[in-house]
Amino acid sequence: MSRKRLSAMLTIFFAVSIVLMGCSGSNNEKTESSNKEQPIAKKEGKDITIAVASDFISMDPHDTNDTLSYSAQKTMLEGLVGFDKDMKVIPVLAEEYSVNEAATEFTFKLRQGVTFHDGEPFNAEAVKANIDRLANPDNNLKRHSLFSVVKETQVVDEYTVKVVLSEPFGPMINNFAHPAAMMLSPKAMETYGKEVSRNPVGTGQYIFKDWQPGDHLTVTKNENYWNGSAKVDSITFKPSLENGSRVAMLQAGEADFIYPVPSEQVKAIDGKDGIVVENGPSIITRYLSMNTMKEPFNDVRVRQAINYAINKEAFLGVVMNGYASELKSVIAPNTQFYSEQESYGFNVEKAKELLKEAGYENGFNTKVWGQNNSQAVKGMEFIQQQLAQIGIKVEVVPMETGTMTDSIWSVTNPEDADIELYYGGWSPSTGDADWGIRPLVGGTEAFPPSSYNTAYYNNEDVNRLIKEGLATADPEKRNVAYKELQEIVWKDAPWAFLASDDTLYGMKNYLEGIYLLPDGSLSLENIEIKQ
């Protein structure tokens, strides 16, 4: 494949991407109150405060596995490529790239004249230092798995770098667009070692100032940014774990932007006190996995019965407060290569008929595991109520994070797994079907503790199609593989397919250019204050 300008290349590469379409249960339009004219709230100065739901874990993108930390990192750090608001890959520190037909070599032509915040040059050697660090399993980095197929990184010349893979991997460009592949200054990595997680040095619009865990993290404007300096002077992130506290901060003007907004408080604040609440589609899936290795969930009729027994429209209203859409595949609609399936619908009689055929006319007892936050408990209790209609008695077992980790991911023998039903969610942060499918239903290789296949689902045809989807960078061939794969998984029903979440955030109406990406991460590249 010849080298082309990146923008032209990606128009073809992502031609099969599908934009999320709302359903009757989704609130993807602003509420009536937010459409009422409000005067622009007053803002003193050009310093922005953002209240977030929890504390940051790390400022090292290579060793981060939470979306929130990436939101702060992206103000300071950049990758070769990134994502736009629709999760399409766009150029950042690379101006163009090419990929060979075997999808084993990715060559990047780098932007010239870029420097790290410490004055070090951004060039092919810097890229090699970052990719080599990610690809080395001995570094025990959390995001090594995204780059484990990298065989070597070659410096072609000062501003050209080639990444050679050990095997074909079609979606690799999406892995490069993932924030895990953002570039750190090689000098900073050498100087700070593991402590680079507290001393990030990148090429971005903002420069790291200070971080006091539990209190705040602040970045300041980079006056020498290669793409023009930012339009605000500083951004301070403040953790605010309690929903009501975040909302109060926004109302009082102590915060300019908050996320997430609790869905039950949207109508109370939207359109008032200079506040606007925005919601939009995400690529986050919400599902109920069933351990297909355990009776009775090893019977597809039982799994399908559970899908028919859950009223998805009621789930969207009661659990998600309308801020979600019905999930109609194993991945969400604006994930690349999405293929919509025909809804199971809500049919209690059909569910009872399937249970009777499977030999469970009188139902059975089971347990559902999930997180112990109020939203998760509400979801599990809703499922409990729904399945009671067909005689399935569900015990709700909320777990704190440490307990859940031990219960699910400390099991090395699948036959020893105690999990029966699991209420969870997933965001494929590469935007590609592969990362929305392979970790969750990708056969034995994805069984815990290796990955997140809590359904212990293993279908040879699905496994084959996953490999076919990885073996080429041709979007048409990949689309064919993932289309067939999604049809199989839908009929096999290792999950009860529930919802695709909306993103929900609130801000003062003087802010522009700030939003949440479909993966739930924050975009601040174009933030400004209008007065």
Side-chain angles (χ1 to χ4, degrees), residues 394-443:
V394 179
E395 179 184 347
V396 173
V397 184
M399 295 181 174
E400 58 108 28
T401 303
T403 302
M404 181 175 294
T405 298
D406 290 341
S407 300
I408 297 177
W409 284 282
S410 65
V411 178
T412 55
N413 184 358
E415 285 79 12
D416 295 336
D418 291 328
I419 192 170
E420 297 174 10
L421 300 175
Y422 171 68
Y423 178 77
W426 181 259
S427 175
S429 46
T430 65
D432 187 90
D434 169 65
W435 202 243
I437 293 171
R438 185 162 50 96
L440 301 176
V441 293

Side-chain angles (χ1 to χ4, degrees), residues 298-323:
N298 59 345
D299 192 316
V300 67
R301 294 169 295 187
V302 172
R303 303 195 299 269
Q304 290 177 343
I306 287 174
N307 270 283
Y308 283 115
I310 298 174
N311 186 333
K312 309 303 194 304
E313 288 294 315
F315 178 86
L316 298 178
V318 173
V319 180
M320 309 303 291
N321 291 296
Y323 295 100

Side-chain angles (χ1 to χ4, degrees), residues 499-514:
S500 175
D501 297 9
D502 281 5
T503 57
L504 269 176
Y505 55 94
M507 62 183 178
K508 290 292 190 178
N509 60 6
Y510 47 71
L511 287 184
E512 288 184 334
I514 178 172

